Coordinates of all heavy atoms in Angstrom, one line a residue:
M366 N 13.7 0.5 -4.5 CA 12.8 1.4 -5.0 C 11.5 1.3 -4.2 O 11.0 0.2 -4.0 CB 12.5 1.1 -6.5 CG 11.6 2.1 -7.2 SD 11.5 2.0 -9.0 CE 10.3 0.8 -9.2
S367 N 10.9 2.5 -3.9 CA 9.7 2.5 -3.2 C 8.5 2.1 -4.0 O 8.6 2.1 -5.3 CB 9.4 3.9 -2.6 OG 10.3 4.1 -1.5
D368 N 7.4 1.9 -3.4 CA 6.1 1.6 -4.1 C 5.6 2.9 -4.7 O 5.4 3.9 -4.0 CB 5.1 1.1 -3.1 CG 3.8 0.6 -3.8 OD1 3.9 0.2 -5.0 OD2 2.8 0.6 -3.1
L369 N 5.5 3.0 -6.0 CA 5.0 4.2 -6.7 C 3.5 4.3 -6.7 O 2.8 3.3 -6.9 CB 5.6 4.3 -8.1 CG 7.1 4.2 -8.3 CD1 7.5 4.2 -9.7 CD2 7.7 5.4 -7.5
K370 N 3.0 5.5 -6.5 CA 1.6 5.7 -6.4 C 1.1 6.6 -7.6 O 1.8 7.6 -7.9 CB 1.2 6.4 -5.1 CG 1.7 5.8 -3.8 CD 1.0 4.5 -3.5 CE 1.5 4.0 -2.2 NZ 0.9 2.7 -1.8
K371 N 0.0 6.3 -8.1 CA -0.6 7.1 -9.2 C -1.3 8.3 -8.6 O -1.8 8.3 -7.5 CB -1.6 6.3 -10.0 CG -1.0 5.1 -10.8 CD -2.1 4.4 -11.6 CE -1.5 3.2 -12.3 NZ -2.5 2.5 -13.1
P372 N -1.3 9.4 -9.4 CA -2.0 10.6 -8.9 C -3.5 10.3 -8.8 O -4.1 9.5 -9.5 CB -1.8 11.6 -10.1 CG -0.7 11.1 -10.8 CD -0.6 9.6 -10.7
G373 N -4.1 10.8 -7.8 CA -5.6 10.6 -7.5 C -5.9 9.4 -6.7 O -7.1 9.2 -6.4
M374 N -4.9 8.7 -6.2 CA -5.2 7.5 -5.4 C -5.8 8.0 -4.0 O -5.2 8.9 -3.4 CB -4.0 6.6 -5.2 CG -3.6 5.9 -6.5 SD -2.2 4.8 -6.2 CE -2.9 3.5 -5.2
D375 N -6.8 7.4 -3.5 CA -7.4 7.7 -2.3 C -6.8 6.9 -1.1 O -6.2 5.9 -1.3 CB -8.9 7.4 -2.3 CG -9.7 8.3 -3.1 OD1 -9.3 9.5 -3.3 OD2 -10.8 7.9 -3.7
N376 N -7.1 7.5 0.1 CA -6.7 6.8 1.4 C -5.3 6.3 1.4 O -5.0 5.2 1.8 CB -7.7 5.6 1.6 CG -9.1 6.1 1.7 OD1 -9.4 7.1 2.3 ND2 -10.0 5.4 1.1
Q377 N -4.3 7.2 1.1 CA -2.9 6.9 1.2 C -2.4 7.2 2.6 O -3.0 8.1 3.3 CB -2.1 7.6 0.2 CG -2.5 7.3 -1.2 CD -2.3 5.8 -1.5 OE1 -1.3 5.2 -1.2 NE2 -3.4 5.1 -2.0
P378 N -1.3 6.5 3.1 CA -0.8 6.9 4.4 C -0.4 8.3 4.5 O 0.1 8.9 3.5 CB 0.4 6.0 4.5 CG 0.2 4.9 3.5 CD -0.6 5.5 2.4
P379 N -0.6 9.0 5.6 CA -0.2 10.4 5.7 C 1.4 10.6 5.6 O 2.1 9.6 5.9 CB -0.7 10.8 7.1 CG -0.9 9.6 7.8 CD -1.1 8.5 6.8
G380 N 1.8 11.7 5.2 CA 3.2 12.0 5.1 C 3.5 12.8 3.8 O 2.7 13.4 3.2
K381 N 4.8 12.9 3.5 CA 5.3 13.6 2.4 C 5.5 12.7 1.2 O 6.0 11.6 1.3 CB 6.7 14.3 2.7 CG 6.5 15.5 3.7 CD 7.8 16.2 3.8 CE 7.7 17.4 4.8 NZ 8.9 18.1 4.9
Y382 N 5.1 13.2 0.0 CA 5.3 12.5 -1.2 C 6.0 13.4 -2.2 O 5.8 14.6 -2.3 CB 3.9 12.1 -1.8 CG 3.2 11.0 -1.0 CD1 2.5 11.3 0.1 CD2 3.3 9.7 -1.5 CE1 1.9 10.3 0.9 CE2 2.7 8.7 -0.7 CZ 2.0 9.0 0.4 OH 1.4 8.0 1.1
K383 N 6.9 12.8 -3.0 CA 7.7 13.5 -4.0 C 7.3 13.0 -5.4 O 7.2 11.8 -5.6 CB 9.2 13.2 -3.7 CG 10.1 13.9 -4.7 CD 11.6 13.5 -4.4 CE 12.6 14.1 -5.4 NZ 13.9 13.7 -5.1
E384 N 7.2 13.9 -6.3 CA 6.9 13.6 -7.7 C 8.1 13.0 -8.4 O 9.3 13.5 -8.3 CB 6.5 14.9 -8.4 CG 6.1 14.7 -9.8 CD 5.6 16.0 -10.5 OE1 5.8 17.0 -9.9 OE2 5.1 15.9 -11.6
V385 N 7.9 11.8 -9.0 CA 9.0 11.1 -9.7 C 8.5 10.7 -11.1 O 7.4 10.9 -11.5 CB 9.4 9.8 -9.0 CG1 10.1 10.2 -7.6 CG2 8.3 8.9 -8.8
G386 N 9.5 10.3 -11.9 CA 9.2 9.9 -13.3 C 8.3 8.6 -13.3 O 8.1 8.0 -12.3
P387 N 7.9 8.1 -14.5 CA 7.1 7.0 -14.6 C 7.6 5.7 -14.0 O 6.9 4.8 -13.5 CB 6.9 6.8 -16.1 CG 7.2 8.1 -16.7 CD 8.2 8.8 -15.8
R388 N 9.0 5.6 -14.0 CA 9.6 4.4 -13.4 C 10.4 4.7 -12.1 O 11.2 3.9 -11.7 CB 10.5 3.7 -14.4 CG 9.7 3.1 -15.6 CD 10.6 2.4 -16.5 NE 11.4 3.4 -17.3 CZ 12.4 3.1 -18.0 NH1 12.8 1.9 -18.1 NH2 13.0 4.1 -18.7
G389 N 10.1 5.9 -11.5 CA 10.7 6.2 -10.2 C 12.0 7.1 -10.4 O 12.6 7.3 -9.4
G390 N 12.3 7.5 -11.5 CA 13.5 8.3 -11.7 C 13.3 9.8 -11.3 O 12.2 10.2 -11.1
E391 N 14.4 10.5 -11.2 CA 14.3 11.9 -10.8 C 13.8 12.7 -11.9 O 14.0 12.4 -13.1 CB 15.8 12.4 -10.4 CG 16.3 11.7 -9.2 CD 15.6 12.1 -7.9 OE1 15.3 13.3 -7.8 OE2 15.4 11.3 -7.1
V392 N 13.1 13.8 -11.6 CA 12.6 14.8 -12.5 C 13.1 16.2 -12.1 O 13.4 16.4 -11.0 CB 11.0 14.8 -12.6 CG1 10.5 13.4 -13.1 CG2 10.4 15.1 -11.3
A393 N 13.2 17.1 -13.1 CA 13.6 18.4 -12.8 C 12.4 19.2 -12.1 O 11.3 19.1 -12.5 CB 13.9 19.2 -14.1
K394 N 12.8 19.9 -11.0 CA 11.8 20.6 -10.2 C 10.6 19.8 -9.8 O 9.4 20.1 -10.1 CB 11.3 21.9 -11.0 CG 12.5 22.8 -11.3 CD 11.9 24.1 -12.0 CE 13.1 25.0 -12.4 NZ 12.6 26.1 -13.1
P395 N 10.8 18.7 -9.0 CA 9.7 17.9 -8.6 C 8.9 18.6 -7.5 O 9.4 19.4 -6.7 CB 10.4 16.6 -8.0 CG 11.7 17.2 -7.5 CD 12.1 18.2 -8.5
R396 N 7.6 18.3 -7.5 CA 6.7 18.8 -6.4 C 6.8 17.9 -5.3 O 6.9 16.7 -5.4 CB 5.2 18.8 -6.9 CG 4.9 19.9 -7.8 CD 3.4 19.8 -8.3 NE 2.5 19.9 -7.2 CZ 1.2 19.6 -7.3 NH1 0.7 19.1 -8.4 NH2 0.4 19.8 -6.2
I397 N 6.8 18.4 -4.1 CA 6.8 17.7 -2.8 C 5.5 18.1 -2.1 O 5.3 19.3 -1.8 CB 8.0 17.9 -2.0 CG1 9.2 17.4 -2.8 CG2 7.9 17.2 -0.7 CD1 10.6 17.6 -2.1
V398 N 4.6 17.2 -1.8 CA 3.4 17.5 -1.1 C 3.2 16.7 0.2 O 3.8 15.7 0.4 CB 2.1 17.2 -2.0 CG1 2.2 18.0 -3.3 CG2 2.1 15.7 -2.4
K399 N 2.5 17.3 1.1 CA 2.2 16.6 2.4 C 0.7 16.4 2.4 O -0.1 17.3 2.2 CB 2.6 17.5 3.6 CG 2.4 16.9 4.9 CD 2.8 17.8 6.0 CE 2.5 17.1 7.3 NZ 2.6 18.0 8.5
I400 N 0.3 15.1 2.7 CA -1.1 14.8 2.8 C -1.4 14.2 4.2 O -0.5 13.7 4.9 CB -1.5 13.8 1.7 CG1 -0.9 12.4 1.9 CG2 -1.3 14.4 0.3 CD1 -1.4 11.4 1.0
D401 N -2.6 14.4 4.6 CA -3.1 13.9 5.9 C -3.8 12.5 5.6 O -4.1 12.1 4.5 CB -4.1 14.9 6.5 CG -3.4 16.1 6.9 OD1 -2.2 16.1 7.4 OD2 -4.0 17.2 6.8
S402 N -4.1 11.9 6.7 CA -4.8 10.6 6.6 C -6.1 10.7 5.8 O -6.9 11.5 6.1 CB -5.1 10.1 8.0 OG -5.7 8.8 8.0
G403 N -6.3 9.8 4.9 CA -7.5 9.7 4.1 C -7.5 10.6 2.9 O -8.5 10.7 2.2
D404 N -6.5 11.5 2.7 CA -6.5 12.4 1.6 C -6.1 11.7 0.3 O -5.6 10.6 0.3 CB -5.4 13.5 1.8 CG -5.8 14.5 2.8 OD1 -7.0 14.5 3.3 OD2 -5.0 15.4 3.2
R405 N -6.4 12.4 -0.8 CA -6.1 11.9 -2.1 C -4.9 12.6 -2.7 O -4.6 13.7 -2.4 CB -7.3 12.3 -3.1 CG -7.1 11.9 -4.5 CD -8.3 12.3 -5.3 NE -9.4 11.5 -4.9 CZ -10.7 11.5 -5.4 NH1 -11.0 12.4 -6.3 NH2 -11.6 10.7 -4.9
L406 N -4.0 11.8 -3.4 CA -2.8 12.4 -4.0 C -3.2 13.3 -5.1 O -4.1 13.0 -5.9 CB -1.9 11.3 -4.5 CG -1.2 10.4 -3.5 CD1 -0.6 9.2 -4.1 CD2 -0.1 11.2 -2.8
P407 N -2.6 14.5 -5.1 CA -2.9 15.5 -6.1 C -2.4 15.1 -7.5 O -1.5 14.2 -7.6 CB -2.2 16.8 -5.6 CG -1.1 16.3 -4.8 CD -1.5 15.0 -4.2
P408 N -2.8 15.8 -8.5 CA -2.3 15.6 -9.9 C -0.8 16.0 -10.0 O -0.3 16.8 -9.2 CB -3.1 16.5 -10.8 CG -4.2 17.1 -10.0 CD -3.8 16.9 -8.5
T409 N -0.1 15.4 -10.9 CA 1.4 15.7 -11.1 C 1.5 16.8 -12.2 O 0.5 17.1 -12.8 CB 2.1 14.4 -11.6 OG1 1.5 13.9 -12.7 CG2 2.2 13.4 -10.5
Q410 N 2.7 17.3 -12.3 CA 2.9 18.4 -13.3 C 2.7 17.9 -14.7 O 2.3 18.7 -15.6 CB 4.2 19.0 -13.1 CG 4.4 19.7 -11.7 CD 5.8 20.2 -11.5 OE1 6.3 21.0 -12.4 NE2 6.4 19.9 -10.4
E411 N 3.1 16.7 -15.0 CA 3.0 16.1 -16.4 C 2.4 14.8 -16.3 O 2.6 14.0 -15.4 CB 4.4 16.0 -17.0 CG 5.1 17.4 -17.3 CD 6.4 17.2 -18.0 OE1 6.7 16.1 -18.6 OE2 7.2 18.2 -18.0
K412 N 1.7 14.4 -17.4 CA 1.1 13.1 -17.5 C 2.1 12.0 -17.5 O 3.2 12.2 -18.0 CB 0.3 13.0 -18.8 CG -0.6 11.8 -18.9 CD -1.4 11.8 -20.2 CE -2.2 10.6 -20.3 NZ -3.1 10.6 -21.4
G413 N 1.8 10.9 -16.8 CA 2.7 9.8 -16.7 C 3.6 9.8 -15.5 O 4.1 8.7 -15.1
R414 N 3.7 10.9 -14.8 CA 4.5 10.9 -13.5 C 3.7 10.3 -12.4 O 2.5 10.2 -12.4 CB 4.9 12.3 -13.2 CG 5.9 12.9 -14.2 CD 6.4 14.2 -13.8 NE 7.4 14.8 -14.7 CZ 7.9 16.0 -14.6 NH1 7.5 16.8 -13.6 NH2 8.8 16.4 -15.5
K415 N 4.5 9.9 -11.3 CA 3.9 9.3 -10.2 C 4.4 9.9 -8.9 O 5.2 10.8 -8.9 CB 4.2 7.8 -10.2 CG 3.6 7.1 -11.4 CD 3.7 5.6 -11.4 CE 3.1 5.0 -12.6 NZ 3.2 3.6 -12.7
W416 N 3.9 9.4 -7.8 CA 4.3 9.9 -6.4 C 5.1 8.8 -5.7 O 4.7 7.6 -5.8 CB 3.1 10.3 -5.6 CG 2.4 11.5 -6.2 CD1 1.2 11.4 -6.8 CD2 2.8 12.8 -6.1 NE1 0.8 12.7 -7.2 CE2 1.8 13.6 -6.7 CE3 3.8 13.5 -5.6 CZ2 1.8 15.0 -6.9 CZ3 3.9 14.9 -5.7 CH2 2.9 15.6 -6.3
E417 N 6.1 9.2 -4.9 CA 6.9 8.2 -4.1 C 6.9 8.8 -2.7 O 7.1 10.0 -2.5 CB 8.3 8.2 -4.7 CG 9.2 7.3 -3.9 CD 10.6 7.3 -4.5 OE1 11.2 8.3 -4.7 OE2 11.1 6.1 -4.7
K418 N 6.6 7.9 -1.7 CA 6.5 8.3 -0.3 C 8.0 8.6 0.2 O 8.9 7.8 -0.1 CB 5.9 7.2 0.5 CG 5.7 7.6 2.0 CD 4.5 7.1 2.6 CE 4.3 7.3 4.0 NZ 4.5 8.6 4.5
Q419 N 8.2 9.7 0.9 CA 9.5 10.1 1.4 C 9.7 9.4 2.7 O 8.9 9.2 3.5 CB 9.6 11.6 1.5 CG 9.5 12.3 0.2 CD 10.7 12.1 -0.6 OE1 11.7 12.8 -0.4 NE2 10.7 11.2 -1.6

């Protein structure tokens, strides 16, 4: 399992991040976002979800 990141964390490595459940499980219709160096992770669709680097 990858290191899960909370929404709003600053200065994350650039790349694609996929929305996952609170413990890293799959969710229906997950968001996939691409961030650049030094960007902040955006909010998730539901409270308690996290981001996983692809």
